[in-house]
Amino acid sequence: MARVVVTGGSGFVGSHVCEALLERGDEVICVDNLVTGNADNIAHLIGHDGFDFIRHDVSHQLWVKGPVDRVMHLASPASPVDFERIPIEILDVGSIGTRNCLELAEAKGARFFLASTSEVYGDPLVHPQPETYWGNVNPNGPRSMYDEAKRFAEALTFAWHRARGVDVRVVRIFNTYGPRMRPEDGRVVSNFITQALQGQPLTVYGDGSQTRSFCYVDDQVRGHLALLDGEHTGPINIGNDGEFTMLELAEVVIKVTNSASEITFAPLPADDPTRRRPDLTEANAKLSWKPTVSLEEGVARTAAWFQSVLGL
Ligand code: NAD
Ligand code: UDP
């Protein structure tokens, strides 16, 4: 049993991480300022013996009483709509916030876990993306606050590892979806599913030929725990290597939700990566991890959740 600090624990992925840790008997201290999180995501955990919630901005000094075995740093807005709305906060939490979490881990002798992203590869020139690829990132474009903050966070993490001896783990998360995504977060899966359920046209940006690889959240979290518990520092890709164009995704969502919605086209945002797919060789070899949930199955589960919470 470990005592684990989870920053960003009331967000989409973080709330599933908290749940998985509690389920196996770990104690969880969730630290979140709710900037993009939702208290509803952890409402069912409040009152659980092993669960504590601290409302705090980790870009300000972070302290937790008592022993800590693991610090999992997932706090960061992650949606393109947030890139426009709160770019400075994103840079802060990736840089100052990551430093604060590393300092906490060092002071407590805890293992530090960073939620990095496939965005460190930018608009990749190598396909699929292995961890050894250094990426193709616009350093000052409209996604730069997120991409560069995460790249800096990785650099900070490995500097703390090398110079201060902190035990670290770094996961590069590829597009992940599932229950508890914010309906209004602007990401493609939440947009398409809510549009399909409401009979509105699905908004495909550009000509829809750009690709992504979508990982169901349960698979993603299983990968996090394997990395957290194991001896491999990473960085390691965790995602699903099934690759789909946005037009293909729209068709899957329409089919699975049995929707009468049509497809409409809207302009492609600047610097939108043209393709993305994880090379999972390392995850298979080092963590014996593989995704198991197909896109159709994951979309069905996510649509059922949206239907129940939105009353659609
Ligand atoms: P999310 O917005 O649902 O969760 C982020 C959480 O962090 C929210 O609860 C938010 O309130 C909290 N937070 C943000 N800034 C904070 C701060 N300064 N102090 C305290 N709490 C703060 O997003 P998510 O999709 O669950 O992403 C979780 C993590 O995974 C992020 O680090 C993100 O970069 C990473 N990630 C996610 C994806 C994905 O597809 N979902 C892909 C790549 C990386
Ligand atoms: N996208 C889309 N319609 C939408 C929202 C997004 O076609 O309503 C596209 C977007 O341009 C991108 C892909 O879907 O090419 C994935 O977008 P998302 O924001 O989910 O993730 P990211 O771009 O960060 O991988």
Side-chain angles (χ1 to χ4, degrees):
M1 194 185 115
R3 196 156 183 260
V4 189
V5 170
V6 181
T7 77
S10 47
F12 158 50
V13 178
S15 62
H16 289 275
V17 168
C18 290
E19 219 169 57
L21 291 167
L22 287 169
E23 259 166 36
R24 68 183 201 171
D26 288 339
E27 236 182 274
V28 173
I29 301 144
C30 166
V31 183
D32 202 301
N33 67 352
L34 300 179
V35 63
T36 55
N38 185 344
D40 289 347
N41 289 342
I42 52 162
H44 61 299
L45 305 179
I46 302 281
H48 187 295
D49 273 352
F51 185 75
D52 214 348
F53 173 68
I54 301 173
R55 185 164 184 172
H56 177 71
D57 180 343
V58 299
S59 299
H60 298 281
Q61 198 176 21
L62 174 63
W63 189 246
V64 169
K65 280 191 206 147
V68 174
D69 304 300
R70 309 272 185 259
V71 176
M72 297 183 74
H73 181 38
L74 283 90
S76 172
S79 301
V81 288
D82 301 321
F83 300 170
E84 234 179 279
R85 190 172 64 92
I86 43 172
I88 315 286
E89 289 83 348
I90 293 174
L91 282 159
D92 281 350
V93 75
S95 54
I96 306 165
T98 302
R99 186 183 169 120
N100 289 337
C101 293
L102 280 159
E103 282 178 350
L104 178 69
E106 186 182 5
K108 300 285 187 181
R111 180 172 289 175
F112 176 78
F113 174 105
L114 174 70
S116 183
T117 169
S118 54
E119 287 281 325
V120 300
Y121 302 122
D123 191 3
L125 305 176
V126 170
H127 193 74
Q129 294 80 56
E131 290 83 352
T132 47
Y133 178 49
W134 291 352
N136 176 39
V137 172
N138 178 346
N140 50 37
R143 301 172 80 97
S144 59
M145 77 301 293
Y146 183 67
D147 301 9
E148 295 292 11
K150 290 288 187 182
R151 289 168 69 94
F152 183 78
E154 286 200 15
L156 209 52
T157 300
F158 281 98
W160 240 266
H161 178 56
R162 292 187 191 107
R164 306 269 180 96
V166 172
D167 190 18
V168 302
R169 303 288 181 268
V170 176
V171 61
R172 289 186 179 151
I173 302 173
F174 281 67
N175 297 64
T176 297
Y177 69 100
R180 306 198 193 124
M181 292 186 91
R182 274 180 296 153
E184 71 290 357
D185 79 355
R187 287 189 260 198
V188 70
V189 175
S190 41
N191 273 7
F192 283 3
I193 291 180
T194 52
Q195 289 161 346
L197 291 175
Q198 295 173 102
Q200 293 167 357
L202 274 61
T203 51
V204 169
Y205 299 164
D207 63 5
S209 64
Q210 71 273 31
T211 68
R212 294 292 186 274
S213 303
F214 297 100
C215 184
Y216 189 67
V217 66
D218 291 359
D219 280 335
Q220 185 61 241
V221 170
R222 194 166 42 80
H224 290 193
L225 298 194
L227 177 64
L228 181 73
D229 295 340
E231 291 313 308
H232 179 62
T233 57
I236 197 146
N237 294 335
I238 296 288
N240 192 311
D241 54 1
E243 184 179 359
F244 297 88
T245 67
M246 293 313 100
L247 268 179
E248 286 168 339
L249 174 68
E251 280 153 16
V252 167
V253 170
I254 287 171
K255 181 177 150 208
V256 167
T257 56
N258 202 16
S259 171
S261 289
E262 295 188 341
I263 290 173
T264 179
F265 292 89
L268 188 68
D271 289 353
D272 198 281
T274 43
R275 56 190 180 163
R276 188 182 288 151
R277 170 155 62 103
D279 180 325
L280 296 178
T281 312
E282 285 280 294
N284 291 341
K286 302 272 176 37
L287 306 178
S288 303
W289 178 90
K290 275 186 187 162
T292 57
V293 181
S294 69
L295 185 64
E296 289 206 0
E297 174 60 28
V299 165
R301 292 187 204 173
T302 310
W305 181 81
F306 273 120
Q307 243 170 333
S308 72
V309 293
L310 299 177
L312 297 173

